[in-house]
DNA sequence: AATAGCACTCATCAATAGAGAGTGCTAATT
DNA sequence: AATTAGCACTCTCTATTGATGAGTGCTATT
């Protein structure tokens, strides 16, 4: 564990490095902070901090730079400090940008991502709630041709999803209507995942109770509703132009490539799922190799029902957490508020 | 006009500059091309080419670099030469990547953009056909709440568009169905723009002929069908990671910002509209300030009906036109073929 | 335990010099 | 009259050098 002095110095080094983006030496530290210690003492403390892996030297005669471990320590201290807040002007601008003509929830989420990237001047990413978590308002099947029907799923946040359902044999529009009517009357107001589950169960249990034709349609529907969700992650990515200033052209491109690659983005998503509230991941390299020296600050948001998504930013590990964590937090809260009002 | 020798030298300078990406001097030119001229003669020719604005010197004692004017001349020569073609392996890879499970036309177009960016190693952009040009297959109105209906427009390429229509007063689902039925029976198989036009005209002419309620719905529909098309341009952008190698980090960011800005992209689009076949725009700076030293190669594609879009690449002005023009051309052709088959 | 002092290290920057590629001009050649 | 050889000149690029200064670790002192 770190003693009080080491803690103070680690904090000071990290904060200074964030502010100045240069290696921090003992003398510089004295100038910036009233530590009441001589440079030699600080050097000793730094040496032990280095041994414990919290800071490193880029080269022999340079100051110290926090390692990922150091940053994590710093961020944890920061998160414990609940006095963090954003400026009034920020808060004002945030709500100003987010309000506007009412659009569907996907549009709102996109707008939030855009706003977040603008305010934070970093790459912003927003992950919409899983379709499975959305609440069914209304469904409709429309005959497309002899082998295909079009399903249209309206969820109660106003978003609409269309999917083609491959049919095993031709159905009449009437048969399709009947199937839709069955789903609507039984399941409107429930989450998609529940609909699927109950449907599976009932189809299994009450084999005789329903019209065979309807049953077939339902079977097909049940399987056709998922596959669409891999397009989500990329949809709400904004502010690629705010990629960190420090990285060189090659890394910028590597990062862009990673961003275009859904696989990587899904990995990021996994990293975040499950947790509630604000979450900071220092050091993304283990998740996405191209993103060395990059970190992520993300927060969860919710809509009217319990379904929720994630919104956050990706930036250099030396980003200004003190400023950015509250921004992300407030954006998520604002987003939750707007989605709940609708 | 340029004489034969100047033409040859301009060509050689441009080609060399594309290959080597350095200023081209007279001696270097002799090494690479059997011009059978002394360096002094070439220098004289270069001097006059410079005076005419086809090439410049980056500094006094450097070789020559083609200006935009020079590149345009080169590209025009290239376009006249109809022997341009892509390698078999390219062609093979292209068709390999483009075929796959059948998806809606928008999906195919996106895939084409992705493939094009992969093959050309440049930023690819695809502009889908305007909604207005699409052919109506079927339309449906669904009552959403007392003030809103959801219109679902299926076009015959299999793509589906949903729009909310604000209603002036509550309508029953039956009334909405009636309106939809009217449109379907009268206008299926026609382009959206025609539907809109004829609708306007008929509503004006036959005021008495129809049910007043239906008429109102149609009025509302007619106005609600456009607004959606500004989202198109951005949808099919692929390969940001292939931004030219030469530009520095700052320019990369400026370009990314420009790409995220729909306004600029629409300007690009305008630049292309109207023309058929392959089109090369050398020098994008006048259209998008951030894109200095960038150019665009684009080609039009068509789907089954006459509605068409544009697909192309954006890259450095010193890109390899000889290789890239045929790639763009073939991709557009392949895309046309696939869209026609569906 | 904390600090002052000191020798040492190494990145950074500016100045300098030499090499090399290229030019335009002039005079000789075809 | 057009082409070419020769030449002086220009300017970038690269490497070298040396001074500067911020920083360190170690040791002896307080």
């Amino acid at each position: 564990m770190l003693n009080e002095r080491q803690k103070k110095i680690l904090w000071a080094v990290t904060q200074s490095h964030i502010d100045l983006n240069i290696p921090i030496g003992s003398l510089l530290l004295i100038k910036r902070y009233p530590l009441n210690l001589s440079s030699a003492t600080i050097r000793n403390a730094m040496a032990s901090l280095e041994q414990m892996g919290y800071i490193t030297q880029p080269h022999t005669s340079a100051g110290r730079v926090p390692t990922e471990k150091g940053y994590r320590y710093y961020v944890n201290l920061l998160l414990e400090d609940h006095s963090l807040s954003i400026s009034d002007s920020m808060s004002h601008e945030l709500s100003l940008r987010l309000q506007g003509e009412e659009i569907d929830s996907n549009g709102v989420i996109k707008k939030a991502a855009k706003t977040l990237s603008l305010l934070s001047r970093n790459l912003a990413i927003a992950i919409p709630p899983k379709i499975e978590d959305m609440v069914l308002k209304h469904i409709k099947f429309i005959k497309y041709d002899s082998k295909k029907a079009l399903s249209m799923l309206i969820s109660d946040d106003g978003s609409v999803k269309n999917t083609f359902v491959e049919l095993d044999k031709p159905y009449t529009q009437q048969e399709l209507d009947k199937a839709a009517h069955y789903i609507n009357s039984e399941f409107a107001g429930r989450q998609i995942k529940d609909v699927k589950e109950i449907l599976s169960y009932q189809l299994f249990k009450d084999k005789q109770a329903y019209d065979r034709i309807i049953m077939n349609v339902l079977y097909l529907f049940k399987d056709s509703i998922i596959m669409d969700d891999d397009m989500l992650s990329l949809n709400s990515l904004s502010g690629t132009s705010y990629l960190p200033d420090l990285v060189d052209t090659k890394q910028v491109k590597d990062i862009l490539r990673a961003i275009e690659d859904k696989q990587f983005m899904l990995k990021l998503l996994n990293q975040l799922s499950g947790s509630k509230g604000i979450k900071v991941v220092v050091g993304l390299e283990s998740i996405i190799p191209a993103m060395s020296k990059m970190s992520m600050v993300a927060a969860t948001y919710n809509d009217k029902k319990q379904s929720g998504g994630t919104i956050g930013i990706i930036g250099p590990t030396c980003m200004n957490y003190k400023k950015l964590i509250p921004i992300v937090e407030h954006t998520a809260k604002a987003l939750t508020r707007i989605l709940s009002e609708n």
Side-chain angles (χ1 to χ4, degrees), chain A residues 122-136:
Chain A
N122 272 105
L123 181 65
I125 177 172
I127 298 154
K130 288 186 189 145
I131 310 185
E132 300 243 309
D133 288 340
M134 293 202 306
V135 172
L136 176 69

Side-chain angles (χ1 to χ4, degrees), chain A residues 116-185:
Chain A
L116 182 55
S117 77
L118 240 53
L119 291 186
S120 71
R121 309 201 140 254
N122 272 105
L123 181 65
I125 177 172
I127 298 154
K130 288 186 189 145
I131 310 185
E132 300 243 309
D133 288 340
M134 293 202 306
V135 172
L136 176 69
K137 182 184 173 106
H138 193 83
I139 196 166
K140 210 163 179 77
F141 297 120
I142 292 137
K143 188 175 168 159
Y144 185 74
D145 59 27
S146 62
K147 285 284 188 187
K148 268 191 277 186
L150 185 60
S151 87
M152 173 158 122
L153 194 153
I154 308 178
S155 60
D156 71 347
D157 64 353
S159 67
V160 183
K161 294 243 180 281
N162 300 113
T163 333
F164 281 105
V165 185
E166 301 280 341
L167 302 173
D168 53 345
K169 62 186 177 88
Y171 292 88
T172 65
Q173 179 62 48
Q174 224 175 4
E175 287 163 346
L176 293 174
D177 283 345
K178 232 168 156 180
H181 182 259
Y182 171 70
I183 296 177
N184 286 327
S185 59

